[in-house]
Amino acid sequence: MERVCQFFRNNYVLANCEDAIFKKAFSLNLSHYQMSEVPDIIEQCETLMKLFLNQNKLTKIPSSIGSLLRLQVLTLDYNKLDEFPLCICRLVRLKFLNISCNSISYLPPEIGYLTLLETFWCNNTGLKELPAEIRNFERLETLGVRGNPLKKLTEAIGALTSLRWFTAEGCELTEVPLTMALLENLVHLNLKGNRLKRLPRMLMAMQKLRFVFLNENRIDELPTRSQLEELSTLHMLNLSKNPISLHQELQLMALRQNNLYVELPANPVEACDGLASRASMNTQEQQEDQARGPGQDVDSSDWANSVRTSELDTTDESTMETNIEDLSVMLPEMSRFVTTF
């Protein structure tokens, strides 16, 4: 039965490609088809600007993909790629690229040719380092490298002056480069679950920064009161589950500053005059405030993107019409290139 289903899947994919060629389509969604290879006919889809190949079983990408020079969106997340396809580097009009959840530990220098990239997702791939060539991504606004064995970040990251959202949660970072202070447009910084031992100094220089996640690190150096005051423009500074988060002085600071998140003591106000009105606040209530979202003074789009960029691994643009388990959907649109099985 599986061979029969795969037969219909393959031919439904071909039918979609033929339809895209005939209609000179701008978008083609081939996600969730359990494809092990991209059909050769794809190179004839010359008008494509968006190509969705996520959630398949692809082990390689044909070099012919590199001839789709109009492509602006390419999703390859949740496949079985074990290296970065060099042909992608020829797609110089790309604005959105997602290679998350593959086994890509190395990015070639040629990736620097993608100078128009605005969003690049490379989460959970086994990536060991970011190449210095990312300095060419002058238009990049969103960068995700979550869940990779990154021990350090290239200093070239400071050249990404358009960057607004950066997520490196769950890596192995022990420090961050001072060049990050040059990221003048950064709004969201997620460094949760790394190995940082102190509050990154460059935070104080980033005027547009609003959301900082440093929870679940190894921060044991208590920031000074003046340092925290310099970060008063932040809407959220999460320092919970660090060694310092149990320090009484920091806990009392958290009671004064609504933007500071740490574990709170059961009965904190006895140690601090003027805090009686907040005696009932505990960690659970802070979590509930965070879940409800920001106050009215916070840009809701910033908040939404902060949440989204922390959790996203896939770019799922599929719809019900691509539910290929329903053979009744596929039969009317079978490809003329029917193959035997």
Side-chain angles (χ1 to χ4, degrees):
M1 184 61 184
E2 176 57 30
R3 294 182 64 192
V4 173
C5 288
Q6 191 58 51
F7 167 76
F8 284 117
R9 290 189 194 103
N10 291 342
N11 283 281
Y12 192 56
V13 165
L14 289 175
N16 283 340
C17 292
E18 294 166 7
D19 190 56
I21 295 170
F22 177 75
K23 294 180 178 178
K24 300 186 185 302
F26 295 141
S27 180
L28 178 59
N29 189 340
L30 298 180
S31 60
H32 297 271
Y33 284 105
Q34 300 185 35
M35 294 188 301
S36 58
E37 59 183 19
V38 179
D40 294 335
I41 195 175
I42 197 75
E43 64 181 325
Q44 299 179 40
C45 301
E46 298 176 350
T47 59
L48 287 183
M49 299 176 70
K50 298 180 181 181
L51 178 58
F52 302 98
L53 296 173
N54 51 297
Q55 303 276 5
N56 281 294
K57 298 180 180 180
L58 302 175
T59 57
K60 62 180 181 179
I61 301 298
S63 59
S64 58
I65 290 288
S67 65
L68 303 179
L69 298 180
R70 297 186 181 185
L71 273 188
Q72 296 183 18
V73 174
L74 178 61
T75 68
L76 294 168
D77 41 304
Y78 286 96
N79 276 287
K80 297 185 177 181
L81 302 175
D82 58 9
E83 62 179 1
F84 186 88
L86 273 175
C87 61
I88 293 177
C89 300
R90 303 205 304 269
L91 303 174
V92 295
R93 294 186 182 180
L94 272 186
K95 294 183 178 181
F96 185 105
L97 176 62
N98 192 340
I99 60 171
S100 295
C101 300
N102 284 282
S103 298
I104 301 174
S105 60
Y106 170 77
L107 297 177
E110 290 84 353
I111 198 172
Y113 296 149
L114 304 180
T115 58
L116 300 184
L117 269 186
E118 296 176 359
T119 299
F120 181 38
W121 289 113
C122 188
N123 296 324
N124 298 298
T125 67
L127 187 68
K128 295 180 179 179
E129 64 177 351
L130 279 171
E133 286 75 14
I134 68 168
R135 66 166 61 92
N136 296 338
F137 298 166
E138 295 180 356
R139 300 188 182 186
L140 195 69
E141 295 187 2
T142 301
L143 175 60
V145 292
R146 182 162 61 92
N148 289 308
L150 290 169
K151 298 186 184 303
K152 64 178 182 179
L153 298 173
T154 174
E155 292 192 357
I157 198 170
L160 306 180
T161 54
S162 295
L163 197 65
R164 288 175 55 80
W165 292 280
F166 177 55
T167 300
E169 175 186 340
C171 296
E172 300 176 10
L173 301 175
T174 57
E175 60 181 1
V176 291
L178 291 176
T179 55
M180 288 189 71
L182 300 174
L183 302 179
E184 57 189 23
N185 288 302
L186 196 68
V187 173
H188 166 96
L189 177 63
N190 187 347
L191 297 175
K192 172 185 175 183
N194 279 277
R195 301 176 182 179
L196 302 177
K197 290 191 173 183
R198 60 184 61 86
L199 199 68
R201 295 179 181 177
M202 85 292 176
L203 294 180
M204 276 64 81
M206 305 168 79
Q207 298 301 312
K208 293 188 178 180
L209 196 59
R210 294 295 179 267
F211 304 96
V212 178
F213 298 85
L214 295 173
N215 43 318
E216 299 181 30
N217 273 275
R218 302 177 183 180
I219 300 175
D220 56 10
E221 183 177 308
L222 190 67
T224 65
R225 188 182 302 275
S226 62
Q227 285 178 320
L228 291 176
E229 288 175 352
E230 287 186 66
L231 296 173
S232 61
T233 57
L234 294 179
H235 296 309
M236 176 184 292
L237 174 59
N238 194 331
L239 294 174
S240 62
K241 298 185 179 179
N242 279 284
I244 61 166
S245 65
L246 297 177
H247 196 288
Q248 185 181 39
E249 184 178 349
L250 186 64
Q251 291 173 339
L252 294 176
M253 289 181 187
L255 290 171
R256 294 188 180 94
Q257 297 182 210
N258 290 328
N259 65 342
L260 183 58
Y261 288 74
V262 296
E263 288 83 358
L264 292 179
N267 191 14
V269 292
E270 293 180 0
C272 184
D273 293 335
L275 297 178
S277 63
R278 301 189 60 191
S280 62
M281 176 176 284
N282 55 34
T283 302
Q284 181 178 357
E285 288 172 335
Q286 281 191 314
Q287 297 283 351
E288 290 172 354
D289 288 342
Q290 179 177 346
R292 281 193 294 269
Q296 294 180 352
D297 61 325
V298 181
D299 189 320
S300 60
S301 64
D302 281 348
W303 177 264
N305 278 301
S306 292
V307 174
R308 177 177 61 84
T309 56
S310 291
E311 300 176 351
L312 186 67
D313 276 323
T314 186
T315 312
D316 191 355
E317 295 288 341
S318 60
T319 62
M320 289 299 292
E321 68 187 60
T322 60
N323 183 0
I324 41 72
E325 297 305 325
D326 185 356
L327 298 184
S328 64
V329 174
M330 294 188 293
L331 286 173
E333 302 195 32
M334 291 296 291
S335 168
R336 65 176 182 275
F337 299 121
V338 176
T339 57
T340 57
F341 58 92

